Amino acid sequence: MQPQTRGLSTYILDAQRSLNGGSREAAFNVMSSQGLQHRVRPSFSSHASGRRYSALLGVENGDGNARAAGAAAERNIDELEEIKRYEDFTTIDWVQDAAREQLRRRARRKANNGKFPRRGRWGVRQKLWEMYDAGQAWIVVTLVGAAIGLNAAFLNIVTEWLSDIKMGHCTTAFYLNEKFCCWGAEEGCQEWVEWTGFLPLNYLLYFIFSILFAFTSASLVKAFAPYAAGSGISEIKCIIAGFVMKGFLSFWTLLIKSIALPLAIASGLSVGKEGPSVHYAVCTGNVISRFFTKYKRNASKVREILSACAAAGVAVAFGSPIGGVLFSLEEMSSYFPLKTMWRSYFCALVATAVLAGMNPFRTGQLVMFQVHYDRSWHFFELIPFIMIGIFGGLYGAFVIRWNLRAQAFRKKYLTKFAVPEAVLLAGVTAIICYPNMFLRIDMTENMEILFRECEGGLDYDGLCEKENRWTMVASLGFATLMRTFLVIISYGCKVPAGIFVPSMAIGASFGRLIGIFVQAVHESMPDSKLFAACEPDVPCITPGTFAFLGAAAALSGIMHITVSVVVIMFELTGALTYILPTMIVVGVTKIVSSYFPPGGIADRMIYFNGFPFLDTKEEHAFHVSVSETMTPAANLTLLPAHGISLSALTKLLDGSHYSGFPVVSDPISRTLLGFIGRTELTYAIDKAKNEQRAAKNAKCIFTSDSNAPLPLQTPSALVPPVTFDDIESENGQQTVDFSRFVDPTPLAVHPRQPLETVMELFKKMGPRVVLVEHKGRLVGLVTVKDCLKYQFQAEAQEREEEGERRNARFEKKLWGWFQVGGAYVVECMGKLSKGRIRLGNCEDREGLIAGASADPRDEREGIQSRILDGTEDDGDGVEMDDR
């Protein structure tokens, strides 16, 4: 790691010296003196110095003008940033991005020194400009938070109206949903009417509206923004980690997602809008930040904004700003420094404040299913709480497993039928869900009903009535099973679709079912010691709290998150008394989930889609060196520092698929000199051909090699060209210098470095590649994909070994129970024959039961000693002929 630090510091010092002003001859003198030192002892940093000088010398005449020097250097850096616009489906090199940002700051500071008139040391205008530049982050966060809040309010209003319009309309104002139409009505609502008085016709209209909404949503996504489909959380996690997906956060994706999401929810599909809210929030941040120069070409700054937007998306989805920040920290961000946390909190605060100001539900609530509990809980309820936690873990594992299988089927057979698939799913869902009172309505409204207490006139179609108790239990059980099936087949279809709310609705149905059952047990045995803590005149059991905890368990089970779920649920209820039950339920869910493959559905979808993502939450112990996973140097395409012709380089580039090439002294010794990316090399070759008109046999130089003998020329001819514009535009150019596009200090490790350490380098520092070198000689190259490939192979082998061990244990137990069964049969036959037939020694049956799990091969001799030969005479036994 020391050579890399020394190279970057040399880069910065050389940039500062060149920006302070100086002629090219002065630079030549410095380079010549450094060249003498390099002849004594060449090193990687010496190559870095020569290349950095040639890259940053931007002043043609040494007039010492800092403004001109800063502007020239900034143009050079902007040109490099323009080159480094990452291609689609590539990985950002965070190390190089940080180095370029540091140089950009220095160059801009030098350029701004002469831009404004000075009064004393600093001019007022310059101070104001610096204050604006420093405060751009808070300006962007404020604008983004306000836009997210406005969009969330709009989506809530439109979604509620579209969901209600399937079942009826408002006679006073067609644009009002059922709640607003019946606002203030105490008994009944004459303003809201169903479409017809004939039930089968209403059923048909419900079906038609559902498939119409699904068809419109899927068609918009397919025609204008394919990236608007799905939840988007998996892809956003990869984008924040450095994976480039152009168009995924574009304006068109934001627009189509905002239009198609209410249609998808209103179609009745078992999908939610809370997951996609993270996607449209991040899209909003990406679009707005592009209007500010600080974020236009700086990927690390954009990453901070995207993390803050993810927090704001969850905040407006659940009305939980603190929970949104914790969700971004726990689930979304692989890099979350303190300043990012503050900006995430501020963005979530602004978004929720704007949403509260809009007040879309006219109740003061940020979300429809926000509730308040004024009762406490009892310790005997811990037993059903634990049952709910177990359900959450089992539900998450079951849905993840079968949804991935459904995704594989969809990817293989239904890729070309995205719109018909969405329409078919919406039609099937409408047919199944309409007869059930809990499946017919919107899932957020369903959770609002299930979370309620029964007192205060908050009953819904007899949910709280005692005579309808077992009917409600059956209806809730059917809703739980059917909604689980619909989530498995619906999540992943080509419409905006989330899985947060469907999972919470499933958990709420199961939790309410458990609550009703516990309430029935209490009423049947009110004097039992188990219920001694219940007060006589106050309802002891609140079924709504069980539904609330069931929603928390299902959300934790499907996403494998813990702390953020507890905080979100606390902010939803505002009840301090239910923090401990929520923590217990989520903790049990986490324990149950740990017995299944790691990772929530977002993480599993990342691996399913093949994205190069290293999860920072996972810890590995492979006990192998990096040489086991690297690509050997013999299999790499290496670029010699000198001698390769432009035509050969073009042919080599066209015939390879690598994203970068190591630069070595020569292919035999393979002394590592640097690394050049494919994007930079392509740009440099095109510019040499088009603007420089270099000859096809022109020799390419990748390092400013001071060890080579200097030709007898004028000093100005010895200086490497700053840009291709400075090279003489003459036909037959014989040499082209590519050294300014080469990174002379790539990240390199020893071949015996543990693989776990290299994976930590990828997670913490974020390089695109890590070179493997031994004593300056290139040995190989390793990327994130190489690490993931080895990880998957190791995990597959571990699962196979675990399966073999499990099968071996099962065989042992099975053989033991065969022994027990055989001993029982022998005993029965002995009793039936009154001792005349003895097939074995029946006195050891208890010993067989105790050793039922023993290995049959270990007791082969003992078993054989108990097998009769058939010639024994045991008194009353039957003497058999010798075989």
Side-chain angles (χ1 to χ4, degrees):
M1 298 296 295
Q2 187 175 358
Q4 282 74 17
T5 306
R6 185 166 60 249
L8 288 175
S9 62
T10 304
Y11 189 179
I12 297 168
L13 290 175
D14 293 344
Q16 185 176 5
R17 292 174 187 141
S18 63
L19 291 175
N20 287 332
S23 64
R24 182 171 290 188
E25 287 77 14
F28 165 72
N29 294 331
V30 176
M31 293 177 63
S32 301
S33 61
Q34 288 189 358
L36 295 176
Q37 297 175 3
H38 293 165
R39 290 187 181 93
V40 177
R41 186 178 179 181
S43 62
F44 292 149
S45 60
S46 66
H47 296 296
S49 302
R51 205 264 296 184
R52 299 304 187 193
Y53 280 123
S54 64
L56 294 176
L57 288 176
V59 184
E60 187 67 27
N61 297 318
D63 56 356
N65 192 322
R67 178 181 176 184
E74 187 174 2
R75 283 196 303 270
N76 290 332
I77 295 172
D78 289 341
E79 183 184 8
L80 284 175
E81 291 179 350
E82 186 70 19
I83 297 170
K84 290 296 293 181
R85 288 183 303 177
Y86 293 95
E87 297 177 351
D88 203 8
F89 296 105
T90 58
T91 305
I92 296 176
D93 195 322
W94 295 113
V95 177
Q96 293 186 12
D97 187 82
R100 288 196 307 275
E101 173 61 17
Q102 190 175 13
L103 288 173
R104 186 192 66 84
R105 288 181 181 178
R106 286 182 175 272
R108 180 163 295 181
R109 189 177 299 130
K110 291 294 181 180
N112 290 338
N113 284 341
K115 182 181 293 186
F116 303 107
R118 297 189 180 185
R119 292 182 181 178
R121 185 177 180 183
W122 299 100
V124 177
R125 293 178 60 187
Q126 184 170 352
K127 287 185 178 180
L128 292 176
W129 175 262
E130 289 180 351
M131 291 174 60
Y132 167 74
D133 186 69
Q136 281 190 39
W138 298 104
I139 297 174
V140 171
V141 165
T142 304
L143 295 176
V144 169
I148 292 172
L150 291 172
N151 198 11
F154 164 77
L155 292 179
N156 286 333
I157 295 172
V158 175
T159 301
E160 292 304 316
W161 181 77
L162 289 176
S163 298
D164 291 342
I165 205 68
K166 296 188 299 182
M167 293 178 288
H169 66 281
C170 184
T171 56
T172 57
F174 185 77
Y175 56 86
L176 294 179
N177 60 25
E178 183 178 5
K179 181 177 290 187
F180 285 169
C181 184
C182 301
W183 192 267
E186 296 181 358
E187 295 182 0
C189 180
Q190 298 179 355
E191 290 80 7
W192 182 266
V193 295
E194 295 182 348
W195 288 108
T196 65
F198 188 52
L199 181 61
L201 187 56
N202 288 334
Y203 197 170
L204 179 62
L205 290 174
Y206 183 90
F207 174 81
I208 293 175
F209 274 117
S210 297
I211 61 175
L212 179 63
F213 291 157
F215 174 79
T216 306
S217 178
S219 299
L220 288 173
V221 169
K222 183 178 180 180
F224 299 102
Y227 280 146
S231 173
I233 291 181
S234 303
E235 292 82 357
I236 292 172
K237 288 184 67 172
C238 298
I239 290 173
I240 293 177
F243 188 62
V244 178
M245 297 180 65
K246 291 185 177 180
F248 193 84
L249 304 178
S250 64
F251 173 76
W252 273 108
T253 303
L254 171 62
L255 180 63
I256 298 303
K257 192 106 180 180
S258 301
I259 297 174
L261 179 59
L263 293 170
I265 303 302
S267 67
L269 289 170
S270 294
V271 295
K273 68 175 185 296
E274 277 63 23
S277 67
V278 178
H279 189 186
Y280 73 70
V282 175
C283 288
T284 304
N286 182 71
V287 171
I288 293 179
S289 64
R290 295 300 177 184
F291 290 99
F292 294 81
T293 56
K294 190 174 182 178
Y295 297 93
K296 194 171 184 180
R297 292 178 182 172
N298 192 342
S300 61
K301 294 294 182 182
V302 174
R303 176 169 62 170
E304 297 176 2
I305 297 298
L306 299 186
S307 299
C309 293
V314 176
V316 297
F318 294 101
S320 173
I322 301 177
V325 175
L326 291 178
F327 178 83
S328 180
L329 171 63
E330 185 177 3
E331 178 67 14
M332 300 299 298
S333 302
S334 57
Y335 176 74
F336 205 82
L338 184 61
K339 63 177 181 179
T340 303
M341 184 184 70
W342 278 111
R343 288 168 185 171
S344 301
Y345 171 76
F346 186 74
C347 187
L349 177 64
V350 172
T352 50
V354 172
L355 181 62
M358 294 291 293
N359 195 11
F361 303 111
R362 293 296 184 268
T363 58
Q365 298 178 347
L366 297 179
V367 292
M368 180 177 290
F369 47 87
Q370 193 170 359
V371 292
H372 297 281
Y373 298 119
D374 54 1
R375 299 197 192 106
S376 183
W377 56 281
H378 309 88
F379 278 97
F380 67 84
E381 294 180 276
L382 289 178
I383 298 176
F385 289 168
I386 293 174
M387 294 174 57
I388 292 174
I390 295 173
F391 167 79
L394 295 177
Y395 162 79
F398 178 80
V399 171
I400 290 173
R401 179 182 179 88
W402 287 99
N403 180 257
L404 289 177
R405 294 190 176 186
Q407 296 277 30
F409 179 84
R410 179 179 289 113
K411 194 172 185 178
K412 186 175 182 181
Y413 297 105
L414 303 178
T415 304
K416 299 180 180 179
F417 308 99
V419 176
E421 179 199 1
V423 172
L424 179 62
L425 287 174
V428 171
T429 303
I431 293 173
I432 295 175
C433 294
Y434 188 81
N436 187 276
M437 56 182 292
F438 298 109
L439 297 176
R440 183 189 314 136
I441 59 178
D442 182 58
M443 285 179 287
T444 55
E445 185 180 355
N446 181 32
M447 283 193 293
E448 180 191 17
I449 293 169
L450 295 177
F451 287 174
R452 290 176 182 171
E453 297 178 349
C454 285
E455 291 72 23
L458 299 178
D459 194 9
Y460 171 73
D461 286 355
L463 177 62
C464 296
E465 296 178 4
K466 186 175 181 179
E467 57 271 14
N468 296 334
R469 177 172 295 164
W470 301 114
T471 303
M472 292 299 163
V473 167
S475 181
L476 287 170
F478 176 79
T480 302
L481 296 176
M482 191 53 59
R483 183 76 74 185
T484 303
F485 169 73
L486 293 175
V487 166
I488 290 174
I489 63 175
S490 299
Y491 181 70
C493 65
K494 299 307 179 182
V495 296
I499 202 171
F500 284 13
V501 165
S503 297
M504 294 177 68
I506 293 170
S509 300
F510 180 80
R512 186 80 183 205
L513 185 151
I514 296 295
I516 293 175
F517 182 77
V518 174
Q519 188 180 39
V521 173
H522 169 258
E523 293 179 359
S524 63
M525 298 183 299
D527 299 329
S528 175
K529 293 182 179 180
L530 184 64
F531 306 110
C534 295
E535 299 180 8
D537 298 330
V538 178
C540 183
I541 306 298
T542 305
T545 59
F546 290 83
F548 163 78
L549 295 175
L555 180 58
S556 177
I558 198 68
M559 294 298 297
H560 285 209
I561 52 179
T562 53
V563 180
S564 55
V565 171
V566 175
V567 176
I568 287 172
M569 290 299 171
F570 163 68
E571 291 186 276
L572 279 176
T573 59
L576 290 170
T577 55
Y578 281 91
I579 288 183
L580 183 58
T582 307
M583 294 175 65
I584 293 173
V585 168
V586 172
V588 173
T589 301
K590 178 67 174 177
I591 294 173
V592 174
S593 300
S594 63
Y595 286 94
F596 298 96
I601 192 165
D603 300 318
R604 301 290 291 276
M605 286 300 298
I606 290 174
Y607 300 141
F608 177 81
N609 293 323
F611 297 142
F613 177 77
L614 287 174
D615 195 352
T616 56
K617 299 187 293 292
E618 293 185 1
E619 296 181 359
H620 306 283
F622 299 118
H623 305 293
V624 296
S625 63
V626 69
S627 59
E628 297 289 333
T629 62
M630 70 179 185
T631 303
N635 298 336
L636 296 174
T637 300
L638 308 179
L639 298 181
H642 303 87
I644 186 171
S645 63
L646 187 61
S647 59
L649 183 62
T650 304
K651 184 177 180 181
L652 182 145
L653 186 64
D654 295 337
S656 64
H657 60 280
Y658 299 110
S659 60
F661 306 92
V663 178
V664 297
S665 58
D666 59 83
I668 299 176
S669 63
R670 295 205 299 266
T671 302
L672 181 60
L673 301 179
F675 187 85
I676 184 171
R678 185 185 187 90
T679 304
E680 296 94 322
L681 186 58
T682 303
Y683 177 87
I685 291 175
D686 292 341
K687 196 161 188 179
K689 290 181 178 179
N690 299 332
E691 299 184 13
Q692 199 53 41
R693 290 178 291 180
K696 293 183 179 180
N697 58 349
K699 301 301 180 182
C700 301
I701 302 173
F702 290 96
T703 59
S704 299
D705 192 357
S706 57
N707 294 324
L710 298 177
L712 297 177
Q713 296 178 0
T714 59
S716 60
L718 292 175
V719 180
V722 177
T723 64
F724 287 104
D725 298 327
D726 298 326
I727 304 176
E728 298 179 0
S729 57
E730 61 180 3
N731 293 329
Q733 182 75 24
Q734 295 301 315
T735 59
V736 182
D737 190 358
F738 292 150
S739 61
R740 65 183 298 257
F741 303 106
V742 177
D743 179 16
T745 57
L747 192 62
V749 297
H750 194 275
R752 288 201 294 259
Q753 192 78 25
L755 179 61
E756 296 85 355
T757 305
V758 177
M759 294 178 72
E760 289 298 318
L761 286 177
F762 280 116
K763 293 177 184 179
K764 302 294 177 58
M765 298 186 66
R768 180 181 290 183
V769 298
V770 173
L771 301 178
V772 183
E773 57 90 17
H774 181 57
K775 295 182 179 180
R777 189 172 186 267
L778 181 65
V779 179
L781 179 147
V782 63
T783 63
V784 173
K785 291 184 179 180
D786 296 329
C787 297
L788 288 173
K789 188 182 298 184
Y790 184 86
Q791 175 185 338
F792 294 154
Q793 292 175 353
E795 291 177 351
Q797 184 178 0
E798 183 179 355
R799 285 194 298 268
E800 184 178 354
E801 293 176 355
E802 178 64 24
E804 293 178 355
R805 289 193 295 267
R806 189 183 297 110
N807 292 336
R809 290 194 297 266
F810 177 73
E811 290 176 359
K812 290 180 183 179
K813 291 183 179 181
L814 185 62
W815 176 252
W817 287 113
F818 275 149
Q819 289 181 281
V820 173
Y824 180 76
V825 172
V826 168
E827 182 180 358
C828 292
M829 292 188 66
K831 290 181 179 180
L832 291 175
S833 64
K834 297 182 180 181
R836 296 181 60 84
I837 299 177
R838 296 184 60 190
L839 300 179
N841 191 359
C842 302
E843 296 177 358
D844 296 336
R845 183 180 171 218
E846 295 182 358
L848 289 174
I849 296 175
S853 61
D855 191 346
R857 294 170 292 184
D858 297 336
E859 300 192 8
R860 186 174 300 164
E861 297 179 0
I863 295 174
Q864 287 179 351
S865 64
R866 295 195 294 269
I867 297 178
L868 302 179
D869 293 332
T871 59
E872 292 83 359
D873 186 3
D874 291 333
D876 295 335
V878 178
E879 183 176 353
M880 305 180 71
D881 295 336
D882 190 14
R883 298 180 217 175

